[in-house]
């Protein structure tokens, strides 16, 4: 049985990008593997959230996880900071990671551009902590979206380096859990290539958006006046609408609008109406479960307690093994 590890930062509500990147196929995934799904609260501290927001968002992510189908009977669901062994593993790995290689990571360079007043050491060390999350349970597979590909590659580098330095094959080299296809990148409604709440909340469809909110957001999505010649390549914003439709709609629906586009007969108002209805139908079961779970604090607490116990058990074993491999052991 393979080990699967994945995490999501509690920076807000989960959107369709998170769903298709990390949560799709939960049911199959947790039936076939040993899964550890956590809420990456340490990682979210790089942007200095307010304490009450962080606290609320941890709860939100947990609710979204459960509503999306993650089953605490089958998978360990926990908060990263409830398993502090990850900090020790991150520290130990960081001794074998070079500052230069961390400075070259794309997500770090992007953060430096975006938040030049807050280039903290946590940002630089972000990929090491992420590698520690994954290696802590000696994962085989990591379900992530395309944006996390480089972090996963670094995790493999660090694992391989550790193995090489200590003459062991202790860490497996984890690969993306891509469900047999390319890693996905769900676009935003604002014409950008990635749905992301840090860019623009209105460009995101959250799993907890009510049907009328979804309709409003989708109707306002960026489009244009339509093609003037048949079979033209699509501009980015239009490509985005088709990508979203491919994710949630029936193949015939997609094909219908593709043909309309290619024949210059497309009416984006109609396409958006259809897209909004299909997104709503797609997330309806998740949305309903979110509403139920919101009032069930007792259950939520129990899930996290149990998940943390399971994750700590696996983490404690790894830390014990790693300490021994590097020469930290009783005299
Ligand atoms: P985060 O919190 O930014 O995103 C959580 C998950 O959602 C995916 N994702 C997307 N996938 C497709 N299209 C999009 N538009 C989109 N937006 C987000 C991300 O790829 C991710 O799978 N560093 C991680 C959190 C993390 C983690 C880990 C993940 C910490 N430790 C260990 C896996 C394993 C992050 O910031 O994800």
């Amino acid at each position: 049985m393979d080990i699967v590890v994945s995490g999501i930062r509690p920076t807000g509500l989960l959107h369709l990008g998170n769903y298709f990147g990390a949560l799709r196929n939960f049911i199959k995934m947790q039936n076939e593997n040993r899964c550890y799904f956590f809420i990456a609260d340490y990682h979210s501290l790089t942007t200095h959230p307010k304490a009450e927001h962080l606290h609320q968002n941890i709860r939100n992510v947990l609710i979204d996880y459960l509503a999306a189908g993650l089953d605490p009977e089958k998978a360990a669901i926990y908060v990263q900071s409830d398993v502090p062994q990850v900090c020790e593993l991150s520290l130990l790995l960081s001794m074998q990671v070079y500052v230069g290689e961390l400075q070259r990571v794309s997500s770090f360079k992007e953060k430096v551009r975006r938040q030049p007043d807050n280039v903290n050491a946590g940002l630089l060390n972000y990929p090491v902590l992420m590698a520690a999350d994954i290696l802590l349970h000696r994962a085989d597979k990591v379900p992530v979206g395309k944006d996390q590909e480089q972090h996963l590659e670094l995790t493999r580098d660090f694992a391989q380096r550790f193995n090489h330095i200590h003459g062991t094959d202790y860490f497996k080299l984890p690969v993306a859990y891509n469900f047999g296809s390319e890693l996905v990148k769900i676009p935003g409604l604002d014409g950008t290539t990635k749905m992301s709440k840090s860019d623009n909340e209105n460009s995101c469809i959250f799993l907890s958006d009510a049907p009328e909110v979804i309709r409003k957001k989708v109707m306002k999505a960026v489009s244009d006046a339509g093609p003037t010649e048949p079979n033209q390549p699509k501009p980015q914003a239009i490509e985005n609408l088709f990508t979203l439709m491919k994710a949630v709609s029936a193949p015939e629906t997609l094909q219908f609008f593709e043909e309309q586009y290619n024949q210059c007969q497309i009416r984006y108002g109609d396409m958006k109406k259809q897209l909004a209805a299909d997104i709503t139908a797609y997330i309806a079961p998740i949305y309903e479960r979110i509403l139920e779970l919101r009032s069930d604090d007792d259950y939520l607490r129990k899930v996290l307690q149990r998940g943390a116990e399971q994750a700590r058990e696996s983490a404690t074993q790894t830390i014990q093994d790693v300490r021994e491999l590097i020469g930290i052991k009783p005299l």
Side-chain angles (χ1 to χ4, degrees):
M1 189 180 264
D2 279 346
I3 297 176
V4 172
V5 174
S6 194
I8 294 189
R9 280 171 305 139
T11 51
L13 301 163
L14 295 197
H15 53 65
L16 276 186
N18 300 130
Y19 183 80
F20 282 99
L23 315 185
R24 210 171 29 134
N25 285 353
F26 252 178
I27 313 256
K28 185 166 159 23
M29 193 158 42
Q30 67 197 353
N31 283 339
E32 294 175 359
N33 305 279
R34 177 78 195 110
C35 287
Y36 294 88
F37 274 86
F38 66 95
I39 301 166
D41 56 346
Y42 284 144
H43 276 105
S44 69
L45 296 176
T46 55
T47 52
H48 300 173
K50 285 209 169 74
E52 68 265 32
H53 289 167
L54 177 60
H55 189 66
Q56 189 55 41
N57 281 332
I58 290 172
R59 192 168 176 279
N60 287 337
V61 175
L62 173 63
I63 290 173
D64 289 353
Y65 261 156
L66 294 167
L70 198 55
D71 179 354
E73 299 290 325
K74 295 185 178 153
I77 309 169
Y78 66 98
V79 179
Q80 187 183 31
S81 60
D82 278 340
V83 187
Q85 285 87 346
V86 76
C87 299
E88 179 166 348
L89 186 57
S90 178
L91 175 100
L92 297 175
L93 291 174
S94 73
M95 304 300 168
Q96 301 171 357
V97 174
Y98 300 97
V99 171
E101 65 185 330
L102 293 177
Q103 284 168 327
R104 286 193 296 274
V105 175
S106 330
S107 60
F108 177 72
K109 290 197 280 192
E110 195 190 320
K111 289 281 182 189
V112 172
R113 263 197 310 276
R114 274 175 185 241
Q115 51 180 69
D117 302 333
N118 180 20
V119 184
N120 57 67
L123 274 179
L124 187 68
N125 208 47
Y126 189 108
V128 185
L129 181 57
M130 179 157 163
D133 290 324
I134 296 167
L135 300 178
L136 193 62
H137 305 295
R138 301 174 64 202
D140 300 277
K141 293 191 227 155
V142 186
V144 282
K146 184 129 187 82
D147 59 318
Q148 298 296 320
E149 209 168 26
Q150 192 183 23
H151 287 155
L152 202 52
E153 206 175 297
L154 285 165
T155 302
R156 282 192 292 274
D157 289 349
F158 303 159
Q160 201 157 27
R161 199 173 299 166
F162 179 96
N163 286 349
H164 180 74
I165 292 173
H166 300 292
T168 173
D169 57 3
Y170 184 71
F171 285 125
K172 293 179 264 187
L173 306 184
V175 294
Y177 197 156
N178 58 7
F179 312 105
S181 53
E182 276 281 286
L183 289 186
V184 292
K185 184 152 108 175
I186 296 293
L189 297 172
D190 58 355
T192 54
T193 58
K194 185 183 151 194
M195 186 174 282
S196 161
K197 59 207 159 214
S198 50
D199 285 337
N200 172 4
E201 295 232 332
N202 279 328
S203 94
C204 296
I205 301 282
F206 298 107
L207 300 179
S208 49
D209 276 344
E212 59 278 16
V213 176
I214 296 178
R215 206 180 55 81
K216 272 192 196 139
K217 285 184 180 173
V218 174
M219 294 315 285
K220 276 197 222 150
V222 177
S223 56
D224 59 21
T228 47
E229 283 172 54
N231 302 314
Q232 284 291 299
K234 301 183 187 88
Q236 186 65 54
I238 304 305
E239 187 65 49
N240 290 355
L241 294 178
F242 279 92
T243 305
L244 285 166
M245 194 163 241
K246 190 168 174 205
V248 297
S249 304
E252 311 80 73
T253 308
L254 181 70
Q255 198 189 340
F256 171 80
F257 286 103
E258 287 279 7
E259 280 163 15
Q260 297 274 302
Y261 181 86
N262 285 331
Q263 294 158 12
C264 301
Q265 284 170 355
I266 191 146
R267 289 158 54 154
Y268 290 124
D270 291 349
M271 183 183 182
K272 287 177 181 176
K273 247 187 238 158
Q274 181 70 46
L275 180 59
D278 290 346
I279 292 176
T280 303
Y282 193 92
I283 64 173
I286 304 176
Y287 174 69
E288 278 157 29
R289 187 100 178 91
I290 289 175
L291 300 185
E292 282 165 22
L293 284 162
R294 276 186 182 157
S295 54
D296 207 347
D297 270 330
D298 239 18
Y299 175 66
L300 297 177
R301 253 193 304 275
K302 277 193 201 121
V303 167
L304 287 186
Q305 204 173 355
R306 177 159 178 213
E309 275 161 23
Q310 293 169 329
R312 277 196 293 262
E313 198 180 310
S314 146
T316 305
Q317 184 62 53
T318 303
I319 290 295
Q320 191 184 323
D321 297 341
V322 166
R323 280 176 160 232
E324 187 148 334
L325 282 165
I326 65 180
I328 301 177
K329 47 189 169 184
L331 290 181

